[in-house]
């Protein structure tokens, strides 16, 4: 794999008169030109990507988005769409040359409709994910997309990146949770596809074309989201495992014994638990002894008579008898279950206290996860002696966050300069195992130049043809995902 190109494609630098025209479309209060006020929109949370822009635009309606894109299309002005700015591959940050405008959608924050009987909710792109979850919950329904950043990430970004999270095993990723879209096209036209249909075979599936397109094909402004019956009972367990093979055996065992009730199966290494316990106050080890690996398991029950916790206890008991796991505990309260989940949710954040961390969002077939981790750790040690691998994540759907913390005592900046030496052999292994180098974070800027190495020439031609058809002037998120 190669380092992303340092020289991005350049759309024209907008003249002062043109910038004034853009600003007039949203009003002076929502056209930000002051560098200090712009700062939150130009830094991603790790400060790995820091961009420049002459103007941040914050439209308050779909009509304003339409007029902005129509003007951008007519003048060749680059537009970078952004909602919650929680992305991890740089797709939401403008390039350093400062020619592009940032289109921030956080003012599009209305829940337009909620239909409990039809199990649908219509949300605008700037609605925080947590607000959608809470609205569904208040109506006695569940919106199952769940991410560690759900308090700050927004629906537009979730759909633009086809977000996954911890509920994919049972409910699917963002693509599976969306029925219809409203999208502003590159030339300013608005496609109203806000249909709540579960079946529609009339032509190409435009909805799925825009989901996961990372703002390169159009600007998603609203979506019809699927809701589900809210479980009446959740059972959560934390299990200690002697090996990765045991994690695979436990997953097979629990899935066979619980069927669709299994809604989450996450794995974590001991190193990750140690990092969280060391750096995050109020956390504790759920088990009395140390184990090489841990599994966080959740079952959902819909029977008012209960029994879900008992079923999980029985499955874990038989797993202990079969020597698959060494120890386990089922949460006895909602608070204890939250403590279990907090260990998992802090796994990524806590690594910043251990210095530089290289992040890899990859996926392989579930039965090859042990091989990926075991061989991957060997490759990392060979490439960077002393580096500390910390692979964790969504075992049940094959998605791992294969993070690597710097060697103890090494300079952080020096470590991050060596990212290719660590990432390239790991990505090559993922491809060998018939996996993906981006499971849920997207391609953005970080993996753009790697894409042709993992996609066939035919696939790249198709992707570029779609881009050319929908954004012929190349104004939408220039230089991201595709060259």
């Amino acid at each position: 794999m190669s380092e992303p190109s340092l020289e991005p494609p350049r759309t024209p630098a907008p003249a002062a008169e043109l910038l004034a025209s853009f600003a007039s479309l949203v009003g002076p209060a929502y056209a930000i030109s002051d560098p200090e006020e712009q700062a939150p929109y130009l830094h991603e949370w790790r400060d790995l990507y820091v961009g420049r822009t002459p103007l941040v635009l914050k439209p308050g309606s779909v009509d304003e988005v339409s007029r902005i894109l129509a003007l951008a299309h007519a003048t060749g002005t680059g537009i970078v769409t952004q909602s919650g700015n929680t992305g991890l591959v740089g797709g939401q940050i403008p390039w350093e040359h400062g020619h592009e405008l940032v289109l921030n959608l956080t003012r599009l924050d209305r829940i337009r409709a909620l239909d409990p009987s039809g199990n649908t909710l219509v949300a605008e792109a700037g609605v925080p994910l947590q607000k959608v979850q809470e609205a569904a919950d208040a109506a006695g329904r569940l919106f199952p997309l769940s991410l560690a950043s759900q308090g700050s990430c927004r629906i537009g970004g979730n759909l633009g990146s086809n977000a996954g999270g911890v509920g994919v095993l049972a409910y699917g990723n963002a693509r599976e949770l969306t029925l219809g879209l409203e999208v502003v096209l590159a030339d300013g036209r608005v496609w109203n596809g806000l249909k709540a249909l579960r079946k529609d075979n009339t032509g190409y599936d435009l909805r799925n074309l825009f989901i996961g397109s990372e703002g390169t094909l159009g600007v998603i402004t609203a979506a019809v989201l699927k809701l589900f019956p809210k479980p009446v009972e959740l059972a959560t367990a934390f299990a200690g495992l002697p090996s990765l093979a045991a994690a695979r055996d436990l997953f097979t065992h629990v899935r066979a014994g619980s069927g669709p009730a299994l809604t989450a199966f996450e794995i974590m290494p001991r190193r990750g638990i140690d990092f969280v316990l060391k750096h995050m106050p109020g956390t504790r080890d759920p088990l009395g002894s140390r184990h090489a690996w841990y599994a966080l398991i959740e079952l959902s029950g819909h029977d008012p008579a209960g029994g879900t916790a008992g079923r999980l206890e029985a499955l874990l008991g038989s797993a202990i008898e079969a020597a698959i796991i060494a120890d386990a505990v089922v949460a006895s309260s909602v608070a204890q279950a939250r403590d279990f989940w907090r260990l998992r949710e802090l796994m990524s954040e806590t690594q910043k206290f251990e210095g530089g961390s290289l992040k890899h969002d990859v996926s392989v077939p579930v039965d090859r996860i042990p091989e990926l981790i075991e061989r991957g750790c060997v490759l990392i040690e060979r490439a960077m002696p002393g580096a500390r691998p910390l692979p964790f994540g969504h075992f049940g759907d094959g998605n791992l966050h294969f993070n690597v913390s710097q060697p103890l005592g090494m300079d952080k900046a020096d470590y991050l300069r060596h990212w290719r030496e660590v990432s390239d052999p790991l990505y090559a292994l993922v491809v060998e195992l018939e996996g993906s180098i981006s499971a849920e974070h997207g391609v953005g800027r970080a993996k753009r130049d790697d894409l042709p190495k993992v996609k066939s020439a035919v696939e790249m031609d198709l992707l570029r043809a779609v881009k050319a058809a929908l954004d012929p002037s190349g104004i939408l998120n220039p230089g991201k995902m595709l060259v």
Side-chain angles (χ1 to χ4, degrees):
M1 308 299 165
S2 61
E3 184 174 357
S5 298
L6 298 179
E7 189 61 34
R10 290 176 181 258
T11 48
E17 183 178 348
L18 178 57
L19 292 174
S21 296
F22 275 110
S24 70
L25 298 178
V26 297
Y30 302 110
I32 304 171
S33 57
D34 180 79
E36 289 188 11
E37 293 182 39
Q38 288 182 349
Y41 307 95
L42 303 181
H43 295 243
E44 57 103 51
W45 73 279
R46 294 172 297 170
D47 282 338
L48 185 60
Y49 300 104
V50 180
R52 294 175 56 240
T53 183
L55 204 58
V56 175
L57 299 172
K58 300 185 71 174
S61 69
V62 176
D63 181 63
E64 289 183 357
V65 175
S66 173
R67 286 187 283 158
I68 289 168
L69 288 192
L71 181 57
H73 179 74
T75 58
T77 306
I79 298 290
V80 177
T81 306
Q82 182 185 94
S83 50
N85 193 16
T86 60
L88 295 172
V89 291
Q92 79 281 16
I93 301 296
W95 289 92
E96 292 86 344
H97 55 59
H99 292 185
E100 301 154 343
L101 308 189
V102 173
L103 183 67
N104 182 277
L105 301 180
T106 51
R107 291 182 64 215
L108 298 181
D109 60 356
R110 293 187 304 128
I111 293 178
R112 296 183 186 176
L114 196 159
D115 177 11
S117 61
N119 284 318
T120 61
L121 181 151
V122 181
E124 293 182 337
V127 178
L129 173 56
Q130 186 170 320
K131 184 177 176 181
V132 172
Q133 296 169 338
E134 291 169 350
D137 183 70
R141 296 293 183 267
L142 170 72
F143 183 63
L145 185 63
S146 181
L147 312 170
S149 60
Q150 59 198 30
S152 51
C153 67
R154 311 231 173 188
I155 291 299
N158 296 151
L159 299 183
S161 62
N162 189 28
V166 298
V168 171
L169 176 61
Y171 298 101
N173 52 25
R175 192 183 304 279
E176 282 73 45
L177 298 174
T178 306
L179 291 172
L181 293 179
E182 176 184 78
V183 180
V184 181
L185 304 179
D187 59 7
R189 290 179 297 160
V190 179
W191 170 52
N192 185 349
L194 290 175
K195 296 181 179 180
L197 299 177
R198 308 266 169 173
K199 292 184 176 181
D200 183 3
N201 279 337
T202 54
Y204 304 125
D205 192 338
L206 299 178
R207 171 197 61 190
N208 280 334
L209 195 60
F210 291 104
I211 296 174
S213 65
E214 302 182 37
T216 63
L217 301 180
V219 176
I220 296 172
T221 51
V224 183
L225 305 174
K226 293 181 187 177
L227 305 182
F228 295 82
K230 189 163 64 172
V232 297
E233 186 182 18
L234 291 176
T236 308
F238 205 87
L241 306 164
S243 67
L244 286 165
R248 179 176 54 200
D249 293 343
L250 179 61
F251 173 67
T252 301
H253 175 74
V254 174
R255 182 173 58 177
S258 61
L262 178 59
T263 48
F265 191 100
E266 304 280 311
I267 62 166
M268 295 160 280
R270 182 66 214 185
R271 175 177 283 142
I273 298 295
D274 286 341
F275 281 7
V276 173
L277 297 178
K278 176 181 177 182
H279 297 293
M280 296 298 179
T283 57
R284 68 178 187 85
D285 194 332
L287 302 177
S289 56
R290 296 170 63 89
H291 304 276
W293 290 88
Y294 297 85
L296 177 60
I297 307 160
E298 182 179 89
L299 301 188
S300 297
H302 294 273
D303 187 347
T308 302
R311 183 194 306 182
L312 183 53
E313 288 175 356
L315 286 168
L316 294 173
S318 57
I320 290 174
E321 291 176 2
I324 296 174
I325 60 177
D327 193 10
V329 59
V330 177
S332 59
S333 65
V334 172
Q336 189 177 21
R338 286 177 182 159
D339 287 344
F340 292 173
W341 274 107
R342 189 162 179 254
L343 291 172
R344 164 61 181 85
E345 290 163 355
L346 292 172
M347 195 70 48
S348 185
E349 178 184 345
T350 195
Q351 291 169 63
K352 67 184 178 182
F353 299 106
E354 293 289 329
S357 177
L358 300 177
K359 315 289 189 183
H360 307 95
D361 163 47
V362 299
S363 64
V364 294
V366 171
D367 66 344
R368 307 199 79 169
I369 289 179
E371 181 181 2
L372 170 65
I373 294 176
E374 290 165 355
R375 292 178 59 189
C377 288
V378 171
L379 291 172
I380 289 166
E381 175 61 27
R382 187 180 302 157
M384 178 65 64
R388 294 169 291 167
L390 204 162
F392 68 98
H394 321 305
F395 189 99
D397 59 39
N399 175 198
L400 281 181
H401 301 294
F402 208 129
N403 298 349
V404 186
S405 289
Q406 69 179 61
L408 290 170
M410 188 175 187
D411 177 72
K412 177 180 177 180
D414 183 42
Y415 173 66
L416 295 178
R417 280 193 290 269
H418 291 274
W419 72 270
R420 281 183 57 189
E421 297 166 30
V422 175
S423 300
D424 285 2
L426 182 62
Y427 283 156
L429 175 61
V430 168
V431 173
E432 178 190 333
L433 298 178
E434 300 181 320
S436 170
I437 65 169
S438 179
E440 61 181 3
H441 292 165
V443 175
R445 175 175 171 178
K447 301 180 182 181
R448 183 198 70 181
D449 290 1
D450 291 332
L451 199 61
K453 295 180 171 63
V454 299
K455 293 284 190 185
S456 70
V458 171
E459 287 174 307
M460 293 303 301
D461 284 346
L462 290 172
L463 293 175
R464 291 181 177 123
V466 171
K467 171 70 172 174
L470 291 177
D471 182 20
S473 299
I475 64 166
L476 296 179
N477 221 356
K480 309 291 178 56
M481 186 186 287
L482 295 170
V483 182

